[in-house]
Amino acid sequence: MTTLETPRLISRPWTEVDIEPFFALCSDPEVMRYFGGPQSREKVEATVRSCIELQARFGVWLQPLVLKETSAFVGMAGIAEVLFEEHFTPAVEIGWRLARKHWGHGYVTEIGKAFVDYAFRERNFGELVSFAVQDNERSIAVMKRLGFTHDPADDFDHKRVPDDLPHLKRHVLYRLKNPVEKSA
Ligand SMILES: CC(C)(COP(=O)(O)OP(=O)(O)OC[C@H]1O[C@@H](n2cnc3c(N)ncnc32)[C@H](O)[C@@H]1OP(=O)(O)O)[C@@H](O)C(=O)NCCC(=O)NCCS
């Protein structure tokens, strides 16, 4: 399991204590705008349970982000195997979701750089992808800040978005290659 540290932040494995602040975050309509709106407690608990299982299997996952100074829960970020089939899979994605009050401080870019570094240096992945609903400008801005690039030919309709949310279907895909050739 993986813990990453940056000047202001720690990303560490999930524990039961993260459920409460993560539920608060997932209850905020602004944060959840591109995920189909706020989620029930049951759904949030199921997500955390699945993250706990997957982080044990994969060694890292989308995992809690806390402030170093106060241990306050900021949100979640990390890398994960893409669990659905698309033209770009198998692939490892980088993703993020922060509580509204923690937007605008550069936290995601800071921890994102650490995850990119970890993915390429420690795990030797050949490439990372990141995807978002096409008008999720804040998320796309993070991808660009981290150096990810976009080819419109990669964009796709997300199969797991329900048909009653057609405005959330179209996704942009961004990619970042490992600058060091992946060893065999
Ligand atoms: C996507 C999301 C994580 C982006 O968060 P964010 O705080 O905008 O991203 P960053 O951490 O890169 O911060 C960048 C902002 O912090 C500002 N900033 C302040 N201090 C900074 C510092 N020390 N270093 C860098 N940037 C700093 C930047 O100027 C920038 O502000 P701007 O957006 O007004 O230009 C956040 O909006 C979110 O959680 N959204 C809801 C969930 C979601 O949609 N997730 C993505 C699904 S694909």
Side-chain angles (χ1 to χ4, degrees):
M1 300 236 262
T2 302
T3 296
L4 297 182
E5 219 177 296
T6 66
R8 295 180 293 175
L9 302 158
I10 295 175
S11 172
R12 52 149 179 81
W14 287 93
T15 65
E16 294 290 321
V17 300
D18 300 313
I19 290 178
E20 211 52 56
F22 187 53
F23 176 54
L25 176 162
C26 294
S27 304
D28 181 338
E30 197 178 354
V31 174
M32 299 305 286
R33 177 172 166 196
Y34 296 105
F35 299 100
Q39 291 175 347
S40 69
R41 178 145 195 132
E42 291 68 36
K43 165 101 177 134
V44 169
E45 284 183 5
T47 301
V48 173
R49 272 198 304 275
S50 125
C51 284
I52 288 173
E53 194 194 312
L54 290 160
Q55 78 189 0
R57 214 183 313 155
F58 190 61
V60 65
W61 204 252
L62 292 163
Q63 49 186 52
L65 189 61
V66 299
L67 289 183
K68 230 179 196 175
E69 212 167 302
T70 60
S71 298
F73 183 91
V74 168
M76 74 169 179
I79 57 171
E81 275 176 344
V82 178
L83 295 179
F84 53 87
E85 278 184 30
E86 246 316 324
H87 69 84
F88 57 88
T89 61
V92 179
E93 67 161 314
I94 186 167
W96 33 70
R97 190 187 303 179
L98 260 58
R100 179 65 188 89
K101 71 172 179 180
H102 293 299
W103 297 7
H105 298 279
Y107 292 150
V108 176
T109 298
E110 183 172 316
I111 200 68
K113 285 180 186 156
F115 272 110
V116 167
D117 205 50
Y118 166 80
F120 290 160
R121 284 173 194 256
E122 310 256 332
R123 302 292 295 262
N124 201 28
F125 294 130
E127 182 184 63
L128 287 175
V129 300
S130 194
F131 46 86
V133 174
Q134 61 183 357
D135 57 347
N136 189 345
E137 287 169 12
R138 275 192 166 265
S139 190
I140 294 165
V142 180
M143 296 172 200
K144 289 179 181 166
R145 280 195 283 272
L146 292 176
F148 283 67
T149 56
H150 178 226
D151 177 351
D154 274 334
D155 295 350
F156 65 105
D157 292 324
H158 202 312
K159 290 177 191 139
R160 293 202 169 167
V161 174
D163 290 340
D164 59 346
L165 298 171
H167 60 294
L168 300 183
K169 279 249 175 217
R170 195 69 186 156
H171 277 61
V172 292
L173 182 87
Y174 277 67
R175 297 177 186 262
L176 183 66
K177 287 238 176 290
N178 190 337
V180 177
E181 188 88 358
K182 195 180 171 190
S183 57

